[in-house]
Structures are given as structure tokens and as C-alpha cells.
Amino acid sequence: MKPSAAAVLGALRAHPEGITQMDALLRLGLGDSLAQRVNELRAEGHDVRTAYETTDRGQRVARYRISAPVGWGSPVGRVRRCPSCRLDHAVGTACAPRGAFAR
């Protein structure tokens, strides 16, 4: 990973509200093209989302956010009793079977 892409990844993680090109340039000191670095991060498998906003002057800008990974046990709905582990989990989550990570 390029150092500039690593810096953008760090900035995205530090700012969950997202960053724009102007934020990257003025506040964070990242002089490279933010869109190019975001595409490099996406190519490496990072889930970076783009939301378009309109400024007070009527300009349309992209705001980039990194999406939090959804994995085992991440709540996404109502609570239910898991048939695998017999604990309460949110509906729609995947539970790791017992011993799934044991080697």
C-alpha cells in the first residue's frame, strides 16, 4: 500500500463522519487526489462508501466514509435465541459454531 493511501485510510478511520477532498487538502494535509487513493483502497478490499453532497454555493462534492465490517455477532435486528450456541443474538447475525476457530 502506498504511504499516501495508508494516510487516507487512517484519516477515514479517524473521521467516521467522512472526509471530502477539501477536508483532505486543508485539514488533514493530504495533497494527493483523494479519489485516486480511495480507488486504491477499494482495490485492496476496503469498503469505502461515497455520498454526494451539495455545498452552500451549489457545488456537488463527494464525501468518503469507511464502512464498519459486519461480522459474527454484529447486531442488525431483534434478539433471538441462537440454535447453535444457545445464547441471545440479534436476528440476522451469523453465529460462529463452537470450535470454529479452534485448531
Side-chain angles (χ1 to χ4, degrees):
M1 177 183 302
K2 291 183 180 179
S4 55
V8 169
L9 181 60
L12 288 170
R13 288 182 176 156
H15 298 278
E17 73 280 2
I19 60 173
T20 64
Q21 176 65 45
M22 195 58 71
D23 294 334
L25 184 63
L26 297 178
R27 291 193 308 148
L28 305 174
L30 303 173
D32 277 345
S33 170
L34 183 61
Q36 290 176 354
R37 300 295 84 80
V38 166
N39 282 333
E40 291 172 6
L41 293 174
R42 287 177 178 152
E44 291 190 11
H46 296 280
D47 188 13
V48 181
R49 306 285 172 99
T50 306
Y52 292 96
E53 301 174 351
T54 304
T55 65
D56 297 337
R57 294 179 167 182
Q59 298 168 323
R60 192 168 173 232
V61 296
R63 179 173 295 275
Y64 300 101
R65 291 182 181 91
I66 194 156
S67 180
V70 177
W72 285 332
S74 298
V76 294
R78 298 182 320 268
V79 175
R80 66 159 175 93
R81 178 72 59 174
C82 179
S84 176
C85 68
R86 305 281 188 243
L87 297 175
D88 290 336
H89 296 292
V91 172
T93 58
C95 181
R98 292 179 190 245
F101 297 108
R103 298 206 177 206

